Amino acid sequence: MLALRLTRAARPAVQLRRLLVAAASAGTGLLLLSSLGHALAHPEAADAAALRLAWCAAPLAATVYLALAVARTDPGTRPRPGLSAVGLGPARLMAVSALTTALSCSLGSLLALLVFLHLRGDLTGLPFDGAAAGLLAAGLPLPVPAAATLLTVLPVTATSAVAVALRPRDPRPPVRVPRRFGRFGAAGGSAGKETFGAYGRFGTRLPQAPGDRRTATTALLETEGDPPAPENAPEPPAPDTDADSPAGLPWGVALVTAGLAAQAYAGRSAPVPVLTVLLGWLLTGTGLVLAGPGLTHLCGRLLQAGRPGALRLLAGRGLMAEAARIGRPLGVVCAVASAGCALTALSGGPAPAFGPLSALGALVVGGATLATLLTAAVEARQYRAGHTAALLRLGARPALLRGAAALRAAVLPALFGPLVLAIAALSALPLSR
């Protein structure tokens, strides 16, 4: 009931994102059911049916990725002060997020079943003059357990992914205490290094109260007249870990190179090995996903090159801070775009290669990845709200902040666009000979 109330009371933007998850779930469910219909209509072609089912892994992964991004940006299930007192702790909020994702995906699966039955003619007769009868095995009995199993794959996978990703974690990092040995190998020992003769000094082995921060060295310094350091002395600044470059860029470049090499090797054979081509595309896509945060961080550094002003400095530091958050969805979009450009170049045009189901799969994958990128941008904006408010309090103009956001949005396509076109051309070149 709590998940239903939070779903109903959400803002229109949140409802729109949930509807996008439901729409992607409906498209993926329809593709899964169409593979079942093809298997029913052609029982002798088991390999073709298995290949159709395997191609559904791409829209399934894109939909699960979108559902996870939407669950992370849901403001209704974000931990806030005072919720634990009424029983809404991190575990309960994670369960609410998982249930909301399950509701959205189940709604999409139910819609896919209704559309599938309507196209088969099981509800009101064959629509579109029976154009989809051959694709969906119209007139043949539909196995209910198989259809139910296929339709439950997406809700279960998305709900499990959300539950694992949003599970409660301890915000404090674990403290590692190195094991020390005292004299003659005895366990324990003091935290600091003892000097020669410190063992026999008066007061060095006296037990102290837990709240007393004075050590024997401090007491000795006070005795000798040296004033101790004040307790409220400022601590040294912590290192800026957000500005560090992501570590996945070298691995991403290596995987992209290996994928392009595999595709070039596949193009040398007269019968092109399909498995080698698929392996090359998989390596290239994985490399782009891993290299996305590093390339985004590089864009931020390039914006600050030379003698940057306030506009370039704000835009560059923003990209460096958000590289880990928006870089990976941007890499996924680049992988999908490069694969689509390569397929279009191999087919000789956009029209001949795509049938209705292929167009639906491309629409689901492309739309889900693009929606995931936009959702990640919304999440980055939510995390940046505190810094934006602080800049406004310090006197920064709103036009400056809007200009920095526009500059960040413009510099990313300037780097990733030519990269996608180059990788697509290199992927299609060996196979088009």
Side-chain angles (χ1 to χ4, degrees), residues 155-172:
V156 171
T157 306
T159 305
S160 303
V162 170
V164 171
L166 301 183
R167 67 186 184 276
R169 298 183 180 90
D170 191 0
R172 299 170 298 178

Side-chain angles (χ1 to χ4, degrees), residues 166-189:
L166 301 183
R167 67 186 184 276
R169 298 183 180 90
D170 191 0
R172 299 170 298 178
V175 179
R176 285 190 171 184
V177 180
R179 187 177 181 183
R180 297 182 177 88
F181 296 92
R183 290 173 174 80
F184 304 104

